[in-house]
Amino acid sequence: MMNEEANKIKELAECIYDLDAEVYSQLGSSIGRVYTRDREHCVNEIVHLLVTRSESKVIRSELALISNMARTIPDKQERKLVMTEYNRIIQAVSDLPDSFSGGDVINLEQARLNRFNLRNRFSDDDHMIICISWAYGSGGADIGFRLADRLKINFYDKEILEAVLKRLDAQKDLELIQASAKANPNDTAQSHPEVLNLSEALRTDMPVTLRQRMREFSRYHGLPKQDAIFFNQSDLLCEMAKQEDFVIMGHCAKTVMTNNRIPHISIFISAPMEQRVRRIMEINSRLSVRQAQRMIRKADQEHRQYINFYTGGEWGHANNYDLCINSASYGIEGTVDFILEMIGDWKKKK
């Protein structure tokens, strides 16, 4: 990497770190901060993510977390300034050759045959909830992220939801300590090392002790942990749907919204195997065609089994979605445009 380019990327990493710090200072809550370690360590980590294509989804999720929190800044003028800087950073990241926006799945011959003219109306009382399922390698996650950014609404994927749940757990533990301290001044945070250690373990994915596991077991009411996580995430999605507009990737969100009678749009994004393999190999140049195919088939099978187990539905079947899109026919930006056309009336009303 040339020195000039390296300096440019480091400067961009510092801007991302500073933006996160600014959002934190505006909200005054460490629960909403993405980068909690020392500046030098965090900047170096961000630089690594910016230049490593296979890790680009991590920086995408971290930027989405920052923007999600920034949109809650109460002062409109401060929020506008922060979001202006966020938009500048997003553009700079997108311009990097190894960013999450690089690569596409478009098939130009198919793209020339497609036109769109769809509309879907929501009432003024409904939040816009867009549930996206996607085939691995179809660009679905990038489409969801860009769609949320274009609509200026929040974006949630697996990493973000897990982070939100961990932070909520940690916040609940701290609130219990604070309540206990009010009742008994001698009962301080240090009196509850198992709570602090569990919170730290949740944040850092460290191994937890037997005592901590017993507390988890009690918290999840005896359910297997994977099932408990699914139900906790489902409850969280329902609560979020009462308060905000957002794009949610996966997590059986379509079924969760349907079962709870929450208006939403469900979308499935796929692409032919050839385009998916090409995209995966662009993201990870070390993979052979056969390895990329194996990765895709494995990911599809895992999605299929997860959906079937928790919903009884059939993953990827057209009858289960409002809209199925072949991203190879439009490309990533074209697919975002397609979806925006569909929800155009709602956007104008908001």
Side-chain angles (χ1 to χ4, degrees), residues 159-218:
E159 288 76 18
I160 294 176
L161 273 187
E162 288 178 352
V164 170
L165 282 171
K166 287 180 181 180
R167 290 173 179 180
L168 288 175
D169 277 344
Q171 181 66 26
K172 288 177 184 177
D173 288 335
L174 292 175
E175 288 173 354
L176 287 173
I177 293 174
Q178 292 167 355
S180 177
K182 286 183 180 179
N184 182 1
N186 296 323
D187 191 15
T188 64
Q190 284 68 33
S191 303
H192 299 270
E194 76 282 357
V195 172
L196 294 177
N197 290 339
L198 178 60
S199 298
E200 181 62 24
L202 286 169
R203 286 192 292 269
T204 62
D205 293 327
M206 292 169 54
V208 295
T209 66
L210 177 60
R211 186 175 182 183
Q212 292 164 359
R213 290 188 183 280
M214 290 302 295
R215 291 182 69 256
E216 262 191 36
F217 183 84
S218 175

Side-chain angles (χ1 to χ4, degrees), residues 46-61:
I46 295 169
V47 168
H48 170 73
L49 295 174
L50 288 172
V51 300
T52 308
R53 182 67 188 279
S54 60
E55 298 293 330
S56 62
K57 69 175 184 179
V58 178
I59 195 69
R60 180 186 63 209
S61 295

Side-chain angles (χ1 to χ4, degrees), residues 123-283:
S123 74
D124 291 333
D125 296 329
D126 295 326
H127 286 287
M128 170 55 74
I129 312 298
I130 303 176
C131 308
I132 298 180
S133 295
W134 75 105
Y136 185 59
S138 66
D142 289 315
I143 290 166
F145 177 81
R146 295 194 197 188
L147 178 64
D149 205 51
R150 293 270 294 274
L151 287 170
K152 295 180 171 54
I153 64 178
N154 289 342
F155 170 84
Y156 296 98
D157 60 9
K158 178 181 178 181
E159 288 76 18
I160 294 176
L161 273 187
E162 288 178 352
V164 170
L165 282 171
K166 287 180 181 180
R167 290 173 179 180
L168 288 175
D169 277 344
Q171 181 66 26
K172 288 177 184 177
D173 288 335
L174 292 175
E175 288 173 354
L176 287 173
I177 293 174
Q178 292 167 355
S180 177
K182 286 183 180 179
N184 182 1
N186 296 323
D187 191 15
T188 64
Q190 284 68 33
S191 303
H192 299 270
E194 76 282 357
V195 172
L196 294 177
N197 290 339
L198 178 60
S199 298
E200 181 62 24
L202 286 169
R203 286 192 292 269
T204 62
D205 293 327
M206 292 169 54
V208 295
T209 66
L210 177 60
R211 186 175 182 183
Q212 292 164 359
R213 290 188 183 280
M214 290 302 295
R215 291 182 69 256
E216 262 191 36
F217 183 84
S218 175
R219 176 178 294 171
Y220 294 143
H221 306 290
L223 286 174
K225 186 173 182 179
Q226 183 175 343
D227 294 348
I229 291 174
F230 171 79
F231 290 121
N232 282 346
Q233 289 178 341
S234 299
D235 290 342
L236 177 61
L237 287 175
C238 290
E239 288 302 312
M240 288 161 45
K242 298 175 184 177
Q243 304 171 33
E244 61 182 274
D245 309 314
F246 59 85
V247 172
I248 171 67
M249 306 301 299
H251 291 85
C252 304
K254 176 256 181 191
T255 300
V256 171
M257 298 300 156
T258 299
N259 290 345
N260 289 276
R261 301 179 181 276
I262 298 173
H264 63 283
I265 290 175
S266 61
I267 300 172
F268 185 80
I269 299 171
S270 188
M273 178 63 79
E274 180 182 354
Q275 267 72 33
R276 295 164 65 189
V277 167
R278 178 167 60 83
R279 178 173 168 79
I280 295 302
M281 292 178 67
E282 284 180 358
I283 293 174

